[in-house]
Amino acid sequence: MIGKVALVTGGGSGIGRATAIKFASEGASVVIGNRNEKAGQETVDLIQEAGGKASFCRTDVTKLEHLQNLVKYTVDTYGGLHAAFNNAGVHDPQAMTTEQSEETFELLMDVNVRGAWYSMKCEIEHMLENGGGAIVNNSSAAGVIGFPGHAHYVASKHAVLGLTKTAAVEYAKQGIRVNAVCPGGVETRMADTFARGDSATREYIKSLHPIGRLAQPEEIANAVVWLCSDEASFVLGQGINIDGGLTAI
Ligand SMILES: NC(=O)c1ccc[n+]([C@@H]2O[C@H](COP(=O)([O-])OP(=O)(O)OC[C@H]3O[C@@H](n4cnc5c(N)ncnc54)[C@H](O)[C@@H]3O)[C@@H](O)[C@H]2O)c1
């Protein structure tokens, strides 16, 4: 990734932070687009302390003008945009389908689906004019199978795969590769809130994974950066399951 420029939405924590660090360690300049400035700046500091290049641009992925600004900021700061990880996401509190709220539905569709679409729209518009690029969206194992109690999250992550496959075939001939990662449980703040601080629930979630543990964020980051590299030049329209065997059962 030497000489390449990457952006990461939701890069202030978890999988996004690990991926931003990985991009930078492979020689890319990285822009962190995050709603939370303090967390985003912490990722920038970590990268700079390790000798890498990174900047922060405050971004709420539910707002089109923020994504337009994020792409412009990236290009103005580092001279291009070659790779993007559309990772920002939120999940729903556990509730049966009949008990889920309107507010949760709107929030999840707004951040997870609209956010992925707006991100791709702005990135692709730039890449079409500038020789292509690679995009990875963060779906989930919940984009592949159902999870009782999480209808809205599952629906939003299935939608992310739909957006991924469609954009991939639309822009394949223009040198833009669009893929997704579908992680199983990953040791992040989101996994903590899924388990609601309850160790029995955490153990149950672990037990769903044949490997017997959750992933570290770096294990997802490795796949994202590979998908954005030239080594993945024939890979597009895929949702790569990185889930310790969860969806193989
Ligand atoms: N942790 C898991 O088990 C797991 C599994 C599969 C997929 N995922 C997906 O991975 C992605 C990252 O989650 P994580 O586990 O690292 O959790 P996380 O909570 O640490 O990261 C989510 C990030 O998204 C950002 N964000 C939320 N709403 C935003 C908005 N409107 N605009 C910009 N940024 C926003 C947050 O600030 C945060 O930095 C999410 O899309 C999540 O659905 C997580």
Side-chain angles (χ1 to χ4, degrees):
M1 302 297 293
I2 292 169
K4 297 278 175 70
V5 181
L7 71 77
V8 178
T9 70
S13 57
I15 301 168
R17 172 174 286 177
T19 305
I21 290 171
K22 177 73 176 169
F23 270 129
S25 76
E26 303 251 322
S29 304
V30 188
V31 174
I32 314 299
N34 209 61
R35 218 175 24 171
N36 179 329
E37 180 161 1
K38 184 168 174 289
Q41 192 55 50
E42 277 170 15
T43 304
V44 169
D45 293 345
L46 287 168
I47 290 172
Q48 290 179 344
E49 280 159 20
K53 284 191 204 156
S55 306
F56 172 76
C57 179
R58 204 180 82 74
T59 308
D60 179 340
V61 298
T62 66
K63 298 192 167 31
L64 181 58
E65 65 273 21
H66 283 212
L67 270 313
Q68 288 164 333
N69 182 56
L70 175 63
V71 170
K72 183 176 185 318
Y73 174 87
T74 304
V75 174
D76 289 350
T77 306
Y78 293 118
L81 172 64
H82 309 103
F85 182 36
N86 302 323
N87 159 77
V90 288
H91 78 89
D92 48 1
Q94 188 168 29
M96 298 295 276
T97 298
T98 50
E99 307 302 324
Q100 290 273 9
S101 71
E102 298 275 345
E103 291 73 20
T104 319
F105 182 84
E106 273 151 28
L107 176 68
L108 268 75
M109 295 304 150
D110 235 23
V111 178
N112 297 357
V113 185
R114 187 192 301 276
W117 171 50
Y118 280 170
S119 301
M120 282 200 297
K121 173 177 162 56
C122 297
E123 292 150 4
I124 290 169
E125 281 169 357
H126 172 82
M127 289 174 178
L128 281 173
E129 300 293 317
N130 293 278
I135 295 171
V136 176
N137 296 317
N138 202 344
S139 176
S140 172
V144 182
I145 58 176
F147 281 95
H150 294 285
H152 295 165
Y153 185 74
V154 167
S156 72
K157 291 300 185 177
H158 274 68
V160 170
L161 275 189
L163 291 170
T164 301
K165 291 175 190 173
T166 303
V169 295
E170 285 176 346
Y171 300 106
K173 287 207 170 64
Q174 282 113 315
I176 301 173
R177 291 187 301 104
V178 186
N179 288 288
V181 285
C182 302
V186 186
E187 296 277 7
T188 67
R189 191 179 51 194
M190 187 175 283
D192 287 340
T193 39
F194 245 103
R196 291 164 283 132
D198 172 24
S199 58
T201 307
R202 179 170 267 277
E203 284 310 308
Y204 169 69
I205 294 170
K206 271 192 205 171
S207 76
L208 297 175
H209 298 72
I211 199 169
R213 64 174 176 85
L214 303 189
Q216 293 302 313
E218 292 73 18
E219 294 179 283
I220 313 306
N222 291 340
V224 175
V225 174
W226 174 76
L227 281 168
C228 290
S229 76
D230 292 341
E231 293 190 356
S233 51
F234 206 58
V235 184
L236 58 93
Q238 302 303 306
I240 309 287
N241 298 327
I242 311 164
D243 62 8
L246 171 67
T247 55
I249 298 173

